[in-house]
C-alpha cells in the first residue's frame, strides 16, 4: 500500500504536489502530508530522546519537588490532549461503523499522537520526582508540535473560508482545542518550578540563580540580568556575588583530579627490592652506661620505582572529559549551521535574478536566514559556556593540586624550584589551560569546516577552487614556522620573566637592606638588564606577529584572487556572476576563521604542553616519607644527609639542650626529628604531638592573636597565661590594636624579638607533648630570654613535664638541662648532664671555658633562679578596648577601583607610545580598510558587467585592479601590525622603568603597608598584560571597529532603507554594551583583587611548610587555600556568564541587521543589481562576528588598560627624599672624624601615631664606641632608622661632622655610613655580587674582607669561590654564615661610622666573639654604635645610651651607670654582669 492510498483510499489526496506548494503565489501543503509527516515528526523525536533522557534523570537526581499548581496544570493538560486524540480515533471508528470509508491515516496518526501525549505526561511527573525545575526536552517537544500544528491550522482556516460546505465540524473542533492546549503547554513549559526539597539553594543565603532558571532563561542567559541591573545602578560589591555551584567548588573538583592523578602515578610505579641494614635493639642486655648493645639485621624492603612518567593529560581527561564532550556536540551543530548562510545568499541572488519567482520566496528565505542565525547564536554561546566552566574547574583543580603537593614535597625537591616558579605554576600555567580549553575543539572542528567549505566551493566554481586551496596549504607551513619560532621566543621570554620576578621578589623582601646600603641603583640596573633582554625577545616576537597577521589578513584575499583569476582565465566562457562571486566570498570568509585559528590553537597547545610538563614535573616530585618518623617515644638512631652516627634516647619529660658551633648540624637534628630530611638509614621515632619553633620565626599575615592560636580553639585563661609567659604583654600595649593588630607579611611590623616570642607563644598554646625549639632565645634581649626560659622552658615553666629539645647558644641555661648534646660537624660527640660533661674535660668543657669569663656569674645566678622584674600586670582585654580597630589594620588590600576607566589612562598610554606613532598607526588602519572595501566594491561592479556572446569583455583590467587593491591592503596590514607592536614595546619599556624607579623611591612605610603580593602582581601580571595583551587587543579592536563601520556603509549604499533600522539597532547595541561593561569591568576588578590573596597565601605557606607540617595543620591550610580559590572563582563565574549574556544580545542585533538587509533587498529587488545585493548581504553576514568582537575587544581593552592605571598609581604615592642632590657641597671623604651630634631628635612611624622616640640629645665624639640598650620597644631600632633617614625626623636634627644629615641626598648619606643589620639578608646571585654589587672593589680587597670576617676558609673551600651562587634569600648558607657575610660587607665599605643592629643575635658565642674582636680591631678609629642584647658585648664601650619608652634615660660610661644603680644596673643585674 503506497503512501497516497494510506491517506485516501481512492488516491485523491496525493502526498506531495509542487504546483500546490512552491510554484504558486499562495502556497499550501497537501492534507496527506499534514496528517502524516507533520503529526509524526514531534512524536518520533520525543520517543527517540525519551530513553536517553530517562537514563540521564536517573543518574542526576536533584531531589524531590512537591506538587505545585504549575505541575498540576501541566499534567491536566497532558491528559486532556490524550483524551482529544482518543476522541478523534473513536470518532473515526464511529464514522466507519456508519459505513463511511475511512483512510488508515485517520486511525494511525491520532493513536500515535495519543500515546505520545501519555509519554509526555509521564515525563512531566518523572521530572518532578527527579527535581527538574524546567525542562528543555519538553519545551522543544511542545515547540516543534506547535510549529507543525500551525501549518495545519492555517490550511484548515483557508479551507474553511474557501469551501465552507466540506468542513467536518467535530474534527475541526477537536483540532482547535488541541491547538489551544498545545499553546498553553508551550507557555507552561517556559515557566520554572520551585526548587526541590533539601536542595543547596534553600540553605544558601545568595544561591546562584542558574539552577532554578527556566530553560529559555538558561539558553539566553537571562538569569544573570538581575546582577547586571545591580551592576548598572551601582558598582558591584563582594556581597552581590552568588555562591558557587556545588560542582564548581574546590572541595568537589580538586579531590577528583588528585584521585585520578594518584591512579596515574601508581600505574607507572613498579616494586623493586632494596636492602636495608637496621640496627636492632637487644632485648635485655645493656652495657653498663645504659646504652643498648647494637646488632644489625638485614631487611628486604619493597620500594616502588618509577618505570615511566605518569600522564597528567590522562588524569585531566578522565576528570573533565565527560562534561566537556557536551561542548563538542554543540560545536558540530554550530559548524553545520554556519554553511546555511552562504546557501541562502545563493538562493536570494537567484531570486533577484529570476523576476518570475513569487515574492513570498524572498520573505521565506529571509525568515529562514534569521531563524538559522538565531539558533546558531544560541548554540555557539552554550558551547562557550560549557568550555569556560570546564576551564574554570580545571584552574581550580590545578591550583588545589599544586597547593596540596607543596605541603608534602621534600626539601630537596623544594629547592629545585624557587618560590616564584611554584607560584607561576598556579598563576600562569593554570591560566594557560583555561585559555586553551575554549579553543581545543578547533583541532577537529577546523578541518571539518575547511572540508565543508571546500565542498560547497567546488559545487560553485569547480576545479579552479584548487588554486585557492593551494594558496591556503602554502600558508599553513608559513604559519607553522612562525608559531614554532614564537614558541622558542616565548620560552626565552618566560625564562627572563621568571628571573625578573624572582629578583623583584627578593628586592621587595630585602628592600630595607637595599635602602640601608644605598644599593637600589645596582639592583635597578640588574632588573633593567633582565627586562631589556626580555624586550629584545618581545620585539622579535612582534615582527613575527606582524608577518603572521599579514599572512592571515591577506590569506582570504589571495585565495579569492587566485581562485577567481584561474576561474576566469581558464575558459573565456566562464562568467563571474554575482551568485558565484559572493557565495564564494562568503565561503572564503568562513574558511578564514578555521585557518586563522589553527596556528593559534597549535601554539596555544604547545604553550599548554610546556605548562603541562612543568606541572607534571612538580606534581611528580618526591614527597616526604610519612615513615621517616615513627611515633612512640623520642629516640633517634638516625643517619641523615649531613648528620651521621647519631644515637640518642630522650626520656619523656626531659629538657635536652643541644649546643655546638655554627653549622654543626643542630638545626638539622631537629629537622630530622620532624621527618623533614631524607632518611638514609636507621630510624627516628617520636611519641605524642609535636610543636616546633623554627630559628627564623614564621609569621602569618593575620592578627597577632590568630598567629598564636594557629587554628586552635580560643581558651582565654590559657591564652592569657601563654602571652604573659612569653613576655608579650608590654608589646600588646605598644601595638595599635592590641592582640587584634594585623601583622604584615613576614611580620614586617614586629621587631625580631617580638616575632620570635610570637612564634614561641604559638608553640606553647598548642599544648603538645614534644617541643622542638630551634634557638628561640637568640633574637630576644637577655632579660626577656631569661624570663621566657624560666616561665616557659625551664624546670618551673609552663612546659614542665613535657619533652623539650632546645637548641641554644645561651650558656646560662645549660645547668638546668637534664641532658646536653654537644654537636660537632653533624655528629653528637658528647652527651650527659652539665656536671658530667664538665667533669669529662671534652669538647664541651672547652666550649664552656672559652666563654666562662663572660657569663659565669650569669650561670650561677640563673641557677639560683631569680625572676626578672615583672611588667606591671595588665589585662589584655583592657588593653584591647582602648585600641581602635582602625589602627589595627596595617596592610592595604588591593583596592578595586570603581567606575569607568578614565580617558586619562588611555592618554597616558598613547603618550607612552608616542603621539606621531599612534596617529600613523591609525592612518594605516584606515588605508587597509579602505582598500579592502574598494576591492569588494570593484568585485561587485565586475559581476554586474554585461555578458556579450557568453564572455565578459574587459576582465583582464578588472582582475588587475582587483589584485592591485589587494596588494595595497597587504602592505597596510604589515605596516600597522609592526607599528602597533613596536609602539606597545616602547610603552611597556617606559611604564616598567618608571614603575620600578617609583617603587624603589618609595619610603619604607610604603612597603610595610603594601603586601609584597600586590607589588609582585604589578611586576608580573600587569606588566605581562602591558607587554603582550594590550597591543594585540588594540589591533583587534581597531580591526573590528573599522569592519563594523565598513559593513554598515556598504549595506547603506546598497539598500538606503536600512537607514531607518540602523539608528535604533545602534542605540540598542550601545545600551547593551554600556550596560554590560559597567558590570563586567567591576567583576573583572573584583576577580583580580580576590586573586592576590590566593598567591599571597600560597607564598606564605611555602615559607612556612615545615612549621605547618610540624603542627599537623595541613588540612586547615588546604581548606583556607580552597576557600580563597573559590572566593576568586565566585567573581570569575559571573564574568564569563556576563560575556555570554552580552554575546547572545549582540548577535541578536547582528542577526537583525542581516535580516533587514535581506528584507529590504527583497523589497527593492526590481531596482537592485545582483552584484550590489550580493555585496550587501555578504557584508551583513560578517557584521555579527565583527560586532561581537568589537564589544568583546572594547571591554577587554577597558579591563586590560586597568593594568596601565595600576602600574601608574605607584607614580603618585609619596616618595623618599632625593637620592643625590644636584649641587652637592659634600667633601669627598665625609665623614672624616665621625663626630655625631643628635639634638632634640624625635620621629614617628605614621602621621596618625604619636612620637616613637622624642627629645634625644647626645653628643658622640669621633672614634667613640657607644652601646644603645633598652627593653624591647624602647626605640633602639627606631633611632637607627632615623639615623639612616629610613624614617624622616619629626623634630630636631642629627649632625655628622657638622653636616645636618637632613640636607643630604639619601644615597650620599647611606653610602657613607655602614650598618650590619638585624636580619642578614642575601640576594640570589654570586657571593661577590652580594658583597659588592657595584663592582667597586678589586678581588684582593674582597678576599681581605672575607678573611677578616673569618669566611676565607669557607669560601675558598667552595668550588666556585667568589662566584658561588647564593640561593634565594641565601638559604644555602647557615644563619651565622649569612651574618658573617654582612660583616664582610661592612669591612669592605669601611666608613667612619658603623652601626650594629642586634647583629649578634643569631650567632653562637664563638662566632659572636669573632665578630666583636674583628670590630674592635678593624674599626678602632671609627665611631661604632651598637644596639646590644647581650650586655657583655658593650661593657668595655666608652659610653652607653639607655633608652626607655622612646626617651633618653641615661647616657654615661658603663662603670658610672652601674654605680648609679638606674635602669642599666637592673639590666646588667638581670644578665648577671654585676
Amino acid at each position: 500500500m503506497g503512501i497516497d492510498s494510506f491517506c485516501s483510499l481512492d488516491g485523491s489526496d496525493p502526498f506531495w504536489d509542487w504546483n500546490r506548494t512552491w510554484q504558486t503565489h499562495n502556497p499550501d501543503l497537501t492534507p496527506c502530508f499534514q496528517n502524516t509527516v507533520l503529526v509524526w515528526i514531534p512524536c518520533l523525536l520525543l520517543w527517540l530522546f525519551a530513553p536517553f533522557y530517562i537514563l540521564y534523570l536517573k543518574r542526576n537526581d536533584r531531589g524531590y519537588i512537591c506538587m505545585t499548581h504549575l505541575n498540576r496544570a501541566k499534567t491536566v493538560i497532558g491528559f486532556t490532549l490524550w483524551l482529544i486524540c482518543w476522541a478523534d480515533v473513536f470518532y473515526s471508528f464511529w464514522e466507519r461503523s456508519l459505513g463511511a470509508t475511512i483512510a488508515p491515516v485517520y486511525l494511525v496518526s491520532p493513536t500515535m499522537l495519543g500515546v505520545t501525549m501519555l509519554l509526555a505526561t509521564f515525563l512531566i511527573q518523572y521530572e518532578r520526582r527527579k527535581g527538574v525545575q524546567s525542562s528543555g526536552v519538553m519545551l522543544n517537544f511542545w515547540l516543534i508540535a506547535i510549529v507543525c500544528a500551525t501549518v495545519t491550522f492555517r490550511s484548515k482556516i483557508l479551507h474553511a473560508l474557501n469551501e465552507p460546505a466540506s468542513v467536518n465540524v467535530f474534527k475541526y473542533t477537536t483540532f482547535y482545542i488541541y491547538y489551544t492546549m498545545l499553546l498553553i503547554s508551550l507557555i507552561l513549559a517556559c515557566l520554572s518550578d520551585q526548587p526541590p526539597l533539601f536542595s543547596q539553594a534553600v540553605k544558601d543565603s545568595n544561591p546562584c540563580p542558574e539552577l532554578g532558571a527556566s530553560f529559555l532563561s538558561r539558553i539566553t542567559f537571562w538569569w544573570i540580568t538581575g546582577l547586571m541591573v545591580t551592576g548598572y545602578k551601582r558598582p558591584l560589591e563582594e556581597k552581590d556575588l552568588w555562591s558557587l555551584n556545588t560542582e564548581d567548588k574546590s572541595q568537589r573538583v580538586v579531590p577528583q583530579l588528585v584521585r585520578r592523578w594518584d591512579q596515574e602515578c601508581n600505574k607507572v610505579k613498579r616494586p623493586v627490592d632494596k636492602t636495608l641494614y637496621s640496627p636492632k635493639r637487644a632485648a635485655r642486655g645493656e652495657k653498663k652506661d645504659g646504652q643498648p648493645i647494637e646488632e644489625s639485621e638485614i631487611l628486604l624492603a619493597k620500594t616502588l620505582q618509577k618505570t615511566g612518567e605518569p600522564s597528567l593529560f590522562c588524569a585531566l581527561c578522565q576528570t573533565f572529559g565527560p562534561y566537556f564532550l557536551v561542548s563538542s556536540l554543540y560545536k558540530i551543530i554550530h559548524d553545520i549551521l554556519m554553511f546555511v548562510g552562504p546557501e541562502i545568499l545563493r538562493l536570494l541572488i537567484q531570486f533577484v535574478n529570476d523576476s518570475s519567482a513569487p515574492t513570498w520566496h524572498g520573505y521565506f528565505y529571509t525568515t529562514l536566514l534569521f531563524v538559522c542565525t538565531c539558533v546558531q547564536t544560541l548554540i555557539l554561546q552554550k558551547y562557550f559556556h560549557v568550555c569556560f566552566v570546564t576551564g574554570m574547574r580545571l584552574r581550580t583543580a590545578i591550583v588545589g593540586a599544586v597547593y596540596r603537593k607543596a605541603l608534602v614535597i621534600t626539601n630537596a625537591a623544594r629547592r629545585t624550584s624557587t618560590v616564584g616558579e611554584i607560584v607561576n605554576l598556579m598563576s600562569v600555567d593554570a591560566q594557560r589551560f583555561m585559555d586553551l580549553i575554549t579553543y581545543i575543539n578547533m583541532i577537529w572542528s577546523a578541518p571539518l569546516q575547511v572540508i565543508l567549505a571546500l565542498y560547497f566551493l567546488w559545487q560553485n566554481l569547480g576545479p579552479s577552487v584548487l588554486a585557492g586551496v593551494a594558496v591556503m596549504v602554502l600558508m599553513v607551513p608559513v604559519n607553522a614556522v612562525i608559531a614554532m619560532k614564537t614558541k622558542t621566543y616565548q620560552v626565552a621570554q618566560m625564562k627572563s620573566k621568571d628571573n625578573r620576578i624572582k629578583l623583584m621578589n627578593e628586592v621587595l623582601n630585602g628592600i630595607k637592606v637595599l635602602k640601608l646600603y644605598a644599593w637600589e641603583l645596582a639592583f635597578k640596573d640588574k632588573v633593567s638588564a633582565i627586562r631589556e633582554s626580555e624586550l629584545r625577545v618581545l620585539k622579535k616576537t612582534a615582527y613575527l606577529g606582524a608577518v603572521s597577521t599579514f599572512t592571515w589578513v591577506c590569506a582570504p584575499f589571495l585565495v579569492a584572487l587566485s581562485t577567481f583569476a584561474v576561474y576566469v582565465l581558464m575558459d573565456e566562457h566562464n562568467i563571474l556572476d554575482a551568485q558565484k562571486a559572493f557565495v564564494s566570498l562568503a565561503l572564503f570568509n568562513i574558511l578564514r576563521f578555521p585557518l586563522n585559528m589553527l596556528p593559534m590553537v597549535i601554539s596555544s597547545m604547545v604553550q599548554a604542553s610546556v605548562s603541562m610538563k612543568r606541572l607534571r614535573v612538580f606534581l611528580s616530585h618526591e614527597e616526604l616519607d610519612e615513615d621517616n618518623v615513627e611515633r612512640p617515644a623520642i629516640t633517634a638512631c638516625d643517619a641523615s644527609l649531613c648528620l651521621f652516627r647519631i644515637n640518642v634516647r630522650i626520656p619523656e619529660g626531659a629538657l635536652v639542650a643541644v649546643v655546638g658551633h655554627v653549622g654543626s648540624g643542630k638545626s638539622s637534628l631537629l629537622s630530622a626529628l620532624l621527618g623533614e630530611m631524607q632518611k638514609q638509614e636507621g630510624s627516628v621515632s617520636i611519641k605524642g604531638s609535636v610543636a616546633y619553633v623554627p630559628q627564623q620565626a614564621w609569621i602569618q599575615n593575620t592578627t597577632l592573636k590568630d598567629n598564636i592560636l594557629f587554628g586552635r580553639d580560643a581558651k582565654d585563661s590559657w591564652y592569657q597565661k601563654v602571652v604573659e609567659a612569653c613576655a608579650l604583654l608590654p608589646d600588646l600595649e605598644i601595638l595599635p590594636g592590641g592582640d587584634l593588630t594585623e601583622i604584615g607579611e613576614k611580620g614586617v611590623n614586629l621587631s625580631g624579638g617580638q616575632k620570635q616570642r610570637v612564634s614561641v607563644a604559638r608553640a606553647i598554646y598548642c599544648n603538645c607533648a614534644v617541643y622542638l625549639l630551634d634557638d628561640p632565645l637568640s633574637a630576644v634581649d637577655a632579660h626577656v630570654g631569661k624570663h621566657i626560659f624560666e616561665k616557659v622552658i625551664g624546670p618551673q615553666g609552663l612546659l614542665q613535664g613535657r619533652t623539650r629539645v632546645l637548641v641554644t647558644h645561651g650558656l646560662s641555661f645549660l645547668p638546668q638541662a637534664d641532658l646536653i648534646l654537644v654537636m660537632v660537624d653533624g655528629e653528637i660527640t658528647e652527651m650527659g648532664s652539665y656536671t658530667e660533661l664538665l667533669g669529662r674535660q671534652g669538647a664541651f668543657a672547652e666550649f664552656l671555658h672559652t666563654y666562662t669569663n663572660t657569663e659565669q656569674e650569669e650561670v650561677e645566678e640563673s641557677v639560683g633562679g631569680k625572676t626578672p622584674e615583672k611588667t606591671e600586670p595588665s589585662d589584655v582585654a583592657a588593653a584591647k578596648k582602648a585600641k581602635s580597630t582602625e589602627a589595627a589594620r596595617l596592610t592595604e588590600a588591593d583596592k578595586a577601583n570603581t567606575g569607568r576607566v578614565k580617558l586619562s589612562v588611555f592618554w597616558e598610554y598613547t603618550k607612552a607610545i608616542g603621539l606621531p606613532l599612534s596617529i600613523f598607526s591609525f592612518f594605516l588602519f584606515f588605508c587597509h580598510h579602505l582598500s579592502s572595501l574598494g576591492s569588494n566594491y570593484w568585485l561587485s561592479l565586475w559581476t554586474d558587467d554585461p555578458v556579450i556572446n557568453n564572455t565578459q569583455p574587459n576582465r583582464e583590467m578588472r582582475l588587475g585592479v582587483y589584485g592591485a587593491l589587494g596588494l595595497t591592503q597587504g602592505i597596510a596590514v604589515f605596516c600597522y601590525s609592526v607599528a602597533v607592536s613596536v609602539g606597545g614595546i616602547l610603552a611597556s619599556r617606559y611604564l616598567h622603568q618608571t614603575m620600578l624607579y617609583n617603587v624603589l623611591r618609595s619610603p619604607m612605610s610604603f612597603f610595610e603597608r603594601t603586601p609584597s603580593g600586590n607589588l609582585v602582581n604589578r611586576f608580573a601580571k600587569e606588566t605581562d598584560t602591558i607587554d603582550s595583551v594590550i597591543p594585540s587587543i588594540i589591533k583587534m579592536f581597531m580591526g573590528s571597529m573599522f569592519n563594523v563601520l565598513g559593513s554598515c556603509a556598504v549595506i547603506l549604499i546598497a539598500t538606503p532603507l536600512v537607514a531607518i533600522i540602523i539608528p535604533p539597532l545602534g542605540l540598542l547595541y550601545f545600551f547593551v554594551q554600556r550596560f554590560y561593561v559597567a558590570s563586567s569591568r567591576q567583576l573583572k576588578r573584583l576577580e583580580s583583587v580576590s586573586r592576590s590573596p590566593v598567591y599571597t597565601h600560597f607564598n606564605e605557606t611555602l615559607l612556612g611548610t615545615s612549621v605547618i607540617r610540624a603542627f599537623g595543620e595541613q588540612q586547615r591550610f588546604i581548606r583556607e587555600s580552597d576557600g580563597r580559590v573559590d572566593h576568586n572563582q565566585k567573581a570569575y563565574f559571573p564574568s564569563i556568564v556576563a560575556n555570554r549574556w552580552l554575546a547572545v544580545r549582540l548577535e541578536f542585533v547582528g542577526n537583525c541587521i542581516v535580516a533587514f538587509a535581506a528584507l529590504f533587498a527583497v523589497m527593492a529587488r526590481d531596482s537592485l543589481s545582483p552584484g550590489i545585493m550580493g555585496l550587501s548581504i555578504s557584508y551583513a553576514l560578517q557584521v555579527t562576528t565583527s560586532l561581537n568582537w568589537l564589544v568583546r575587544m572594547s571591554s577587554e581593552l577597558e579591563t586590560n588598560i586597568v593594568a596601565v592605571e595600576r602600574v601608574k598609581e605607584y607614580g603618585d604615592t609619596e616618595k623618599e627624599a632625593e637620592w643625590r642632590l644636584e649641587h652637592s657641597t659634600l667633601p669627598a671623604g665625609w665623614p672624616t672624624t665621625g663626630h655625631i651630634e643628635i639634638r632634640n631628635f624625635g620621629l614617628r612611624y605614621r602621621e596618625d601615631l604619636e612620637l616613637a622616640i622624642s627629645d634625644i640629645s647626645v653628643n658622640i665624639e669621633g672614634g667613640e664606641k657607644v652601646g644603645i640598650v633598652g627593653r624591647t620597644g624602647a626605640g633602639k631600632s627606631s633611632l637607627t632608622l632615623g639615623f639612616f633617614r629610613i624614617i624622616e625626623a619629626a623634630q630636631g636634627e642629627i649632625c655628622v661632622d657638622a653636616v645636618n644629615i637632613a640636607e643630604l641626598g639619601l644615597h650620599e648619606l647611606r653610602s657613607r655610613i655602614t650598618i650590619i643589620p638585624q636580619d642578614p639578608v642575601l640576594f640570589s646571585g654570586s657571593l661577590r655580587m652580594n658583597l659588592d654589587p657595584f663592582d667597586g672593589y678589586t678581588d684582593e680587597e674582597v678576599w681581605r674582607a672575607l678573611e677578616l670576617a673569618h669566611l676565607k676558609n669557607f669560601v675558598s673551600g667552595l668550588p666556585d669561590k667568589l662566584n658561588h651562587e647564593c640561593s634565594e634569600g641565601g638559604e644555602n648558607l647557615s644563619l651565622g654564615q649569612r651574618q658573617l657575610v654582612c660583616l664582610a660587607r661592612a669591612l669592605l665599605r669601611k666608613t667612619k661610622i658603623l652601626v650594629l643592629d642586634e647583629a649578634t643575635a643569631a650567632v653562637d658565642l664563638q662566632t659572636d666573639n669573632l665578630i666583636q674582636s674583628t670590630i674592635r680591631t678593624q674599626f678602632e678609629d671609627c665611631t661604632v654604635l651598637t644596639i646590644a642584647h647581650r650586655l657583655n658585648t658593650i661593657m668595655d664601650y666608652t659610653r652607653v645610651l639607655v633608652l626607655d619608652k622612646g626617651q633618653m634615660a641615661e647616657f654615661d660610661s658603663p662603670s658610672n651607670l652601674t654605680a648609679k644603680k638606674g635602669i642599666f644596673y637592673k639590666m646588667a643585674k638581670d644578665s648577671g654582669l654585676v
Side-chain angles (χ1 to χ4, degrees), residues 32 84 119 230 243 378 473 556 586 620 705 782 792 813 964 978 1003 1097 1173 1237 1260 1324 1354 1386 1473:
C32 179
I84 290 169
L119 174 68
T230 316
S243 327
L378 294 178
V473 172
S620 321
K705 185 166 186 174
V792 178
F813 309 129
V978 170
H1097 180 245
M1173 174 171 182
E1237 189 179 352
I1260 300 171
S1324 62
F1354 168 69
L1473 295 173

Side-chain angles (χ1 to χ4, degrees), residues 21-69:
T21 48
W22 191 247
Q23 289 127 4
T24 167
H25 287 282
N26 190 7
D28 195 8
L29 290 167
T30 63
C32 179
F33 190 83
Q34 292 176 21
N35 286 330
T36 51
V37 177
L38 293 188
V39 173
W40 297 349
I41 285 177
C43 300
L44 290 173
L45 281 175
L46 189 65
W47 281 100
L48 193 72
F49 279 109
F52 300 108
Y53 187 48
I54 290 171
L55 252 174
Y56 168 78
L57 287 179
K58 215 179 165 101
R59 286 252 174 95
N60 298 17
D61 193 347
R62 288 229 186 99
Y64 177 93
I65 301 182
C66 295
M67 222 8 167
T68 51
H69 290 308

Side-chain angles (χ1 to χ4, degrees), residues 1327 1350-1358 1364 1372-1373 1377 1381:
L1327 193 61
H1350 309 283
L1351 277 171
K1352 189 172 182 181
N1353 296 347
F1354 168 69
V1355 176
S1356 37
L1358 294 169
H1364 173 68
N1372 51 359
L1373 300 178
Q1377 287 165 333
V1381 171

Side-chain angles (χ1 to χ4, degrees), residues 700-948:
Q700 281 183 279
N701 181 3
T702 66
T703 63
L704 186 85
K705 185 166 186 174
D706 287 343
N707 262 304
I708 295 177
L709 296 182
F710 204 54
R712 302 286 195 281
D713 301 332
K715 298 199 215 54
D716 268 350
S717 54
W718 175 238
Y719 175 70
Q720 218 60 19
K721 265 190 205 158
V722 170
V723 172
E724 193 178 326
C726 293
L728 279 167
L729 288 179
D731 303 301
L732 292 183
E733 286 174 18
I734 300 166
L735 288 170
D739 62 355
L740 296 179
T741 308
E742 185 192 0
I743 310 300
E745 266 183 278
K746 303 195 184 72
V748 284
N749 50 344
L750 295 180
S751 72
Q754 285 169 327
K755 278 193 249 186
Q756 199 62 58
R757 294 205 300 270
V758 170
S759 183
V760 173
R762 171 197 299 152
I764 304 172
Y765 189 83
C766 279
N767 217 345
C768 296
V770 179
Y771 282 82
L772 304 177
L773 311 164
D774 194 349
D775 204 3
L777 304 177
S778 60
V780 297
D781 308 347
H783 64 282
V784 179
K786 207 168 132 201
H787 172 94
I788 290 181
F789 185 81
E790 291 189 354
K791 289 283 186 185
V792 178
I793 306 168
Q796 269 73 51
L798 280 177
L799 299 182
Q800 61 193 45
R802 311 286 165 84
T803 311
R804 291 143 294 170
V805 180
L806 171 70
V807 171
T808 181
H809 294 136
L811 301 180
S812 53
F813 309 129
L814 296 182
Q816 304 187 39
D818 304 321
L819 180 65
I820 297 173
L821 310 178
V822 184
M823 295 199 68
V824 179
D825 294 337
E827 275 189 81
I828 297 182
T829 51
E830 297 182 276
M831 52 196 284
S833 69
Y834 184 70
T835 40
E836 275 176 36
L837 290 179
L838 267 185
R840 275 191 213 163
Q841 295 298 318
F844 178 70
E846 269 172 54
F847 184 76
L848 269 186
H849 289 309
T850 332
Y851 307 118
T852 316
N853 50 359
T854 56
E855 292 209 359
Q856 191 55 48
E857 311 88 76
E858 195 177 332
V859 169
E860 275 152 27
E861 194 212 315
S862 65
V863 175
K866 184 172 164 302
T867 54
E869 146 207 19
K870 270 274 288 103
T871 45
E872 70 282 11
S874 100
D875 186 27
V876 187
K880 249 195 284 191
K881 282 194 194 102
K883 314 285 183 189
S884 69
T885 48
E886 200 33 59
R889 301 273 314 140
L890 165 84
T891 51
E892 301 169 351
D894 238 353
K895 291 187 294 292
N897 296 340
T898 52
R900 293 192 61 165
V901 180
K902 296 177 202 63
L903 280 174
S904 59
V905 179
F906 289 99
W907 177 237
E908 283 291 345
Y909 188 71
T910 317
K911 274 198 309 200
I913 296 177
L915 264 181
L917 191 57
S918 307
I919 294 167
F920 182 58
S921 309
F922 192 83
F923 173 69
L924 285 170
F925 263 107
F926 187 70
C927 292
H928 162 226
H929 282 277
L930 203 61
S931 53
S932 161
L933 268 180
S935 61
N936 282 339
Y937 185 64
W938 186 257
L939 185 66
S940 84
L941 294 178
W942 179 3
T943 59
D944 287 342
D945 272 355
V947 179
I948 304 164

